[in-house]
Amino acid sequence: MPEPLSEFDLIRRYFTRPVHKAALGVGDDCALIEGRPGHQLAVSTDMLVSGRHFFPDVPPRSLGHKALAVNLSDLAAMGAEPRAFTLALALPSAEAPWLAELAAGMLELADLHGCELIGGDTTRGPLTLSITVFGDVPPRQALRRDAARPGDDIWISGTLGDARLALGDFRGEWLLPEPDFTAVRPRMDTPTPRVALGMALRGVAHAALDVSDGLVGDLGHILARSAVGAWLDVDALPRSEILARQPEECQRLCTLTGGDDYELCFTAPADARETLAGIATRLALPLTRVGAITPEAGLRLVDREGNPCRFDGAAFDHFASP
Amino acid sequence: MPEPLSEFDLIRRYFTRPVHKAALGVGDDCALIEGRPGHQLAVSTDMLVSGRHFFPDVPPRSLGHKALAVNLSDLAAMGAEPRAFTLALALPSAEAPWLAELAAGMLELADLHGCELIGGDTTRGPLTLSITVFGDVPPRQALRRDAARPGDDIWISGTLGDARLALGDFRGEWLLPEPDFTAVRPRMDTPTPRVALGMALRGVAHAALDVSDGLVGDLGHILARSAVGAWLDVDALPRSEILARQPEECQRLCTLTGGDDYELCFTAPADARETLAGIATRLALPLTRVGAITPEAGLRLVDREGNPCRFDGAAFDHFASP
């Protein structure tokens, strides 16, 4: 009988098969196929649906930015350099000013990363954007999810949870003072893909991904695919001053399960700490050590005292959640 | 003020810009970027929306086939060899049997063409499929829309109009006898991408595209981009025996404006006629000469006597049509 399946179950069950020609198939941030001489081509696709991934009345400029940003973030998570993208767009109607803003938001970010729009499709339908993005990465230097090793440090770029904090205000879960909301809202509306960081991590980090569905669930993908476990210091998770002023429960919810920050979570051997400090300085982007990979399976959350920390949150799942 | 724009206007106005890194950008069946050694990578993306491109109750196996077929058809129209694809899927709910059939229809066609599913995205939303497909083509051998030359013959593969004939029955525009409907329906539901033909036309044909929106409109893209005109013998357009039994008006509507047949329309110099006859025999696929490219702009429709033929149809436009 038909029964609800989780998003990940669905994909695994029906659409995941071993690849023969491609170097890497379904299951990582990007697929890898043979690219131009001296490169692999990293490919990723994302679909954003109105009412699901963004509010129907979101400013079109933000929407254009975000739709491309989440795809560039997948390239960043592989250590790939953006090269080109395609856009498929379903629109309920075609209003010129709205489209002009959408294009401006998208193409401005594209230009910033030298990522060319090379093709697309437009049709009438419920507002939906699907982008496929292409990037270059030197052979065997892609940052894959299956490459974490016991003893690796776990790192997070920037800060986690502000996008979730803004979303909670939007949803009425809590009410932030106006200046705080204004400060965190861009983390939800116009996220910054960590492209330069991803490229800098080639040959330094082992495993990596971008935090788009929540750290606990996303880190779980690295653990599962690398067949390792981890401990995570929930009090060490980097957060903004605004989030640090919220009740502890809210802070944990936002840092552990908040999606949409598009920071990178990566693992690296302990002897890379100095190199990583240099990268953080060069990019003016904080990198915070938040835990370590263990040989035993499972994710163990601890607080700053090292005591076990209970938390019931799980990664946001588009199908399992109500 | 906002006003309705045609699909093609929209794309041109806001999203088409010159490309610098890519060999070919927006506006052809595929974009071309530098590929693996000795190849260009042809890239195309299509989005299919429920209620627009297919009936909501279409058998999922047909839908899976068609969603990939229309993309493979774009590769065929460039002369590219299928290599890989990504799938982004929005689903109102996740029912296992439906998904199993969708996957079977899609992956069976993929296997037939050695085209690997390398990545994707699944989310909840109005039923929408967006596929991006990748193929290999030797440098400078891609069949572009801008390569038609005055004096070229215009050719059509297979037969035109059966998909439109089946659609008209579905829509209640006309009623076919049951055996006829059963015979033409697969042309609408499970079109055959002309992949082998596209590859065989490398170095033989000048310009090419796949007929997806109707011959008059699609041929118009070749004429516009090649800065040429053409005449077309409307009575020479190849059609099935079933279509040939319909009233003449219906035959003209279906052959001239019917979309979804996914036959190739291509131009080739007169000295390629013998070669093309050999290709038709080898592939067991009729190729029919239906007109010629002229230096003067405009498309002139003539009947078998050479008399001007009036026809008011226009290519199907997703935004301009009601």
Side-chain angles (χ1 to χ4, degrees), chain B residues 121-267:
Chain B
D121 191 22
T122 312
T123 185
R124 188 138 58 178
L127 182 55
T128 306
L129 295 92
S130 181
I131 286 178
T132 304
V133 75
F134 312 97
D136 285 333
V137 62
R140 291 172 302 283
Q141 291 197 34
L143 308 172
R144 300 165 55 137
R145 296 181 174 187
D146 59 6
R149 298 178 205 165
D152 277 1
D153 296 325
I154 300 173
W155 296 81
I156 298 289
S157 66
T159 62
L160 289 178
D162 277 358
R164 181 68 182 83
L165 187 62
L167 182 67
D169 184 287
F170 248 104
R171 282 185 180 165
E173 294 172 295
W174 46 71
L175 188 66
L176 299 174
E178 186 61 33
D180 288 355
F181 179 66
T182 304
V184 294
R185 183 176 178 168
R187 293 301 307 267
M188 176 175 73
D189 285 347
T190 52
T192 302
R194 301 301 188 190
V195 171
L197 175 61
M199 290 169 63
L201 292 178
R202 292 175 187 166
V204 179
H206 285 156
L209 50 62
D210 62 326
V211 181
S212 58
D213 289 337
L215 178 59
V216 169
D218 286 331
L219 179 56
H221 298 312
I222 287 183
L223 304 186
R225 291 182 66 91
S226 300
V228 293
W231 62 264
L232 201 61
D233 177 352
V234 299
D235 291 319
L237 295 174
R239 67 205 73 185
S240 70
E241 283 178 28
I242 293 170
L243 182 55
R245 285 201 301 269
Q246 309 306 316
E248 187 179 66
E249 193 188 356
C250 171
Q251 291 187 45
R252 293 211 170 153
L253 178 78
C254 291
T255 52
L256 288 170
T257 72
D260 277 6
D261 287 300
Y262 298 97
E263 295 293 352
L264 296 190
C265 170
F266 59 94
T267 82

Side-chain angles (χ1 to χ4, degrees), chain A residues 77-100:
Chain A
M78 292 301 276
E81 180 174 6
R83 185 170 163 196
F85 72 106
T86 62
L87 167 68
L89 187 59
L91 294 167
S93 64
E95 288 170 19
W98 191 93
L99 272 166

Side-chain angles (χ1 to χ4, degrees), chain A residues 245-260:
Chain A
R245 286 201 301 269
Q246 309 306 316
E248 187 179 65
E249 193 187 356
C250 172
Q251 292 187 45
R252 293 210 170 155
L253 177 79
C254 290
T255 52
L256 288 170
T257 73
D260 277 4

Side-chain angles (χ1 to χ4, degrees), chain A residues 8 51 123 171 245 261 268 280 297:
Chain A
F8 303 111
T123 184
R171 283 185 181 164
R245 286 201 301 269
D261 286 301

Side-chain angles (χ1 to χ4, degrees), chain A residues 7 10 17 20-22 25 34-36 47 53 83 99 111 114 116 118 121-124 132 134 321, chain B residues 7 10 17 20-22 25 34-36 47 53 83 99 111 114 116 118 121-124 132 134 321:
Chain A
E7 178 181 13
L10 286 178
R17 299 193 305 180
H20 302 285
K21 294 192 253 179
E34 191 183 351
R36 61 200 179 110
M47 183 178 266
H53 301 95
R83 185 170 163 196
L99 272 166
D111 287 346
E116 291 186 335
I118 57 167
D121 191 23
T122 312
T123 184
R124 189 138 57 177
T132 304
F134 313 97
S321 67
Chain B
E7 176 180 15
L10 287 176
R17 300 193 304 181
H20 302 285
K21 293 192 254 180
E34 191 183 350
R36 62 202 178 106
M47 182 178 267
H53 300 94
R83 186 171 164 195
L99 272 164
D111 287 345
E116 291 187 334
I118 56 168
D121 191 22
T122 312
T123 185
R124 188 138 58 178
T132 304
F134 312 97
S321 65

